[in-house]
Amino acid sequence: MTTDATTVKWPAWEDAAFYQQEPAEMYASIAAQRQAAPVYWYEPPGYPTGLWVLSKWEHQRFAGSHPELFSSRSGFAIGDASDPSTVIHQLPEWAQEKIRDGNLSPAETRSAIAHGKLSMGDPKFESLMISDPPRHGQIRSILMKALRPSLVRSLKPRIAEIADEFIGEIEPGDEVDFVTTVGRVPAALMTELIGVPRDMRERFIEMASAQMQAITIDPNRDPAEAQRINKLVEEFHSYCGELLADRRDHGGEEDDLTSIIARSEYDGGPVPHGMAISFIHTFVNAGETTRALLGFVAKALAEHPEQRRLLAERPELVSNAIEETLRCYPLNWSGCRTATQDVEVGGQLIHRDDYVLMAYASANRDEDVWDRPDEFDVTRPFDKDHQSFGYGEHSCPGALLVRTDVGIIVERLLVRFPDWELTSEPQRWANPFLQGLGTVPMRFYS
């Protein structure tokens, strides 16, 4: 599809309302910008400085492949470039003081915002999301020890067992909300892996979701809502601290993910408290990512029944259908980096310390990479990967678990219910960083 860039308004990447409009309108806007200006300087209203937008697949792969040119230390999301006065109340006291003292460059201000929202109150906190090699590799290695491929493979029977349990609760022909039925499988699995008791599952997920909201800086967030989120985040940190203390007191004898972190070492000693909690949150986030992806798979296959029937006949295409869903319905719209030196991309000179936004939602529909980019096709070849899990150093550490989890659940669902339909329009939520589905009303037929 070629869009007339003169008649379509270009994306407002910082505005939540842009992502909440009809997807066809949003993607027409993104396509117009990509075709007219693949690399362009964008100045968000109300932001102190502008940023570069990389819309093409090849340009994003270049940035993701060169952390020495594009650093993560000075912000990873568009909200990190907000006017500090609009988000300072969402940050811990030490970050507020640093910003109020002034004399910070735009890159240093972004770093203070990004570090502050991730730090859990600890100014010495080191985060996977805002680190570069070689430190990034050291931190990531601890996390990947817990999410190692052999562990993921060993979970397959348990994933199938939990999936069958929840799917078995659905009566053919009854209207159900997919999110609160089948969508509960990932949370059940992940909380079990973390070591959270069954009766704490829902509260734990609520607290962890607040942690995700807290790190998604939003200049328009109501102060009362920010206070509610911060209270839940404090509870989350306290509860995770108790879990870790229990595992350390018992020598990490359990096999759950928390015990693996409790047993791990960093710089010759135990994993620092804040970092250990951030790892637990990463595990939870993998479960929430899985739930969001599952919802979009179910929605897409309801809207394309011929594709669903094809999957029922050819289950070997399920993994491909997952990739196609990720391409068409990215859970994460974009990621940001800061140029470490002057560098040319797509004929544009990006200067040192300039902020760069990699628009994943745009690259996933790049006409130079994808044939019929706006069509959903479970048979689509993936000679080139989509950008929905990022690329390079900061690719999603839980991607293998997410893919495995969703694949097994969809396969079990198709065996039990080869036919399903939407009973009303799903409720989608979106902010400038993430999207998901609040409800997906459905009927299943055997």
Side-chain angles (χ1 to χ4, degrees):
M1 178 183 74
T2 301
T3 307
D4 184 354
T6 64
T7 60
V8 178
K9 188 175 181 180
W10 287 9
W13 299 105
E14 80 296 346
D15 186 358
F18 171 73
Y19 303 93
Q20 292 163 358
Q21 64 183 315
E22 285 296 318
E25 295 178 16
M26 179 185 69
Y27 280 110
S29 175
I30 290 173
Q33 179 259 297
R34 180 178 61 246
Q35 293 159 11
V39 180
Y40 87 108
W41 181 252
Y42 175 57
E43 297 183 357
Y47 276 50
T49 61
L51 51 89
W52 290 98
V53 177
L54 308 186
S55 298
K56 301 286 286 182
W57 185 94
E58 65 171 315
H59 298 149
Q60 293 181 27
R61 283 300 169 107
F62 174 74
S65 301
H66 293 280
E68 76 281 5
L69 298 177
F70 297 94
S71 171
S72 298
R73 289 194 302 272
S74 299
F76 65 91
I78 191 169
D80 299 339
S82 303
D83 180 344
S85 66
T86 65
V87 299
I88 196 167
H89 65 284
Q90 300 175 38
L91 302 175
E93 189 60 38
W94 71 264
Q96 293 186 29
E97 292 177 0
K98 187 172 184 178
I99 291 171
R100 289 193 184 104
D101 285 345
N103 299 318
L104 299 179
S105 69
E108 290 170 335
T109 301
R110 292 194 305 271
S111 179
I113 292 173
H115 188 190
K117 70 184 184 181
L118 291 170
S119 70
M120 307 188 188
D122 180 5
K124 296 181 180 180
F125 174 73
E126 291 184 89
S127 169
L128 189 70
M129 299 181 77
I130 52 173
S131 61
D132 291 328
R135 202 60 165 171
H136 179 274
Q138 294 175 263
I139 300 173
R140 189 181 176 98
S141 66
I142 301 170
L143 188 59
M144 297 313 296
K145 183 189 300 181
L147 296 174
R148 62 194 183 279
S150 60
L151 172 68
V152 175
R153 287 193 298 270
S154 73
L155 292 174
K156 290 182 178 182
R158 182 56 181 150
I159 297 171
E161 186 178 357
I162 297 175
D164 286 343
E165 174 189 340
F166 282 88
I167 293 170
E169 296 176 358
I170 300 173
E171 291 295 330
D174 286 355
E175 181 174 328
V176 299
D177 176 14
F178 185 88
V179 173
T180 58
T181 52
V182 182
R184 289 157 55 206
V185 175
L189 174 70
M190 192 52 66
T191 50
E192 183 177 294
L193 291 177
I194 291 169
V196 177
R198 194 184 189 97
D199 61 358
M200 268 295 296
R201 179 186 295 166
E202 298 303 323
R203 183 61 174 176
F204 183 77
I205 293 298
E206 182 184 10
M207 294 186 295
S209 296
Q211 173 71 28
M212 177 54 70
Q213 289 179 280
I215 69 174
T216 306
I217 287 291
D218 181 358
N220 300 312
R221 182 172 292 153
D222 179 76
E225 174 65 2
Q227 185 175 19
R228 183 192 72 83
I229 290 170
N230 289 338
K231 184 176 184 300
L232 285 169
V233 169
E234 289 176 5
E235 289 183 38
F236 177 70
H237 295 174
S238 176
Y239 186 79
C240 289
E242 292 173 7
L243 277 180
L244 286 161
D246 176 75
R247 298 310 188 270
R248 285 171 176 150
D249 287 346
H250 293 86
E253 296 171 356
E254 302 292 334
D255 292 329
D256 57 56
L257 297 178
T258 303
S259 294
I260 294 174
I261 298 303
R263 289 195 298 265
S264 297
E265 291 188 358
Y266 183 71
D267 281 349
V271 175
H273 183 71
M275 186 183 292
I277 293 176
S278 75
F279 288 155
I280 294 175
H281 184 254
T282 298
F283 302 145
V284 179
N285 190 41
E288 292 298 280
T289 298
T290 305
R291 177 164 65 172
L293 175 56
L294 261 178
F296 282 116
V297 171
K299 175 180 181 293
L301 294 179
E303 293 173 339
H304 300 86
E306 76 290 349
Q307 306 263 320
R308 186 185 65 246
R309 286 190 287 269
L310 180 60
L311 289 185
E313 296 169 3
R314 299 178 57 190
E316 72 273 11
L317 287 175
V318 167
S319 61
N320 216 65
I322 293 169
E323 302 309 313
E324 179 69 340
T325 304
L326 284 163
R327 186 191 71 83
C328 288
Y329 305 93
L331 308 179
N332 184 4
W333 299 117
S334 62
C336 293
R337 303 286 187 272
T338 296
T340 61
Q341 62 188 61
D342 291 0
V343 57
E344 185 175 309
V345 179
Q348 298 289 343
L349 181 61
I350 297 175
H351 292 286
R352 178 180 179 178
D353 286 345
D354 281 352
Y355 208 33
V356 177
L357 181 141
M358 298 178 292
Y360 301 145
S362 178
N364 284 354
R365 300 194 182 210
D366 187 342
E367 302 84 356
D368 292 336
V369 175
W370 313 105
D371 182 36
R372 300 169 289 108
D374 293 317
E375 293 183 24
F376 180 82
D377 181 4
V378 300
T379 68
R380 183 184 300 279
F382 279 89
D383 302 324
K384 292 184 177 179
D385 296 332
H386 54 72
Q387 285 287 95
S388 294
F389 280 142
Y391 183 71
E393 294 289 328
H394 288 272
S395 61
C396 175
L400 177 60
L401 179 57
V402 172
R403 286 180 166 114
T404 302
D405 206 355
V406 174
I408 292 173
I409 296 168
V410 172
E411 287 175 1
R412 303 306 298 168
L413 188 61
L414 285 166
V415 168
R416 179 68 180 87
F417 297 112
D419 191 16
W420 63 76
E421 64 179 359
L422 293 171
T423 57
S424 60
E425 188 63 25
Q427 292 182 356
R428 186 173 66 92
W429 61 265
N431 60 45
F433 190 53
L434 301 167
Q435 73 163 333
L437 293 167
T439 61
V440 185
M442 286 187 159
R443 279 194 179 92
F444 291 89
Y445 304 98
S446 56

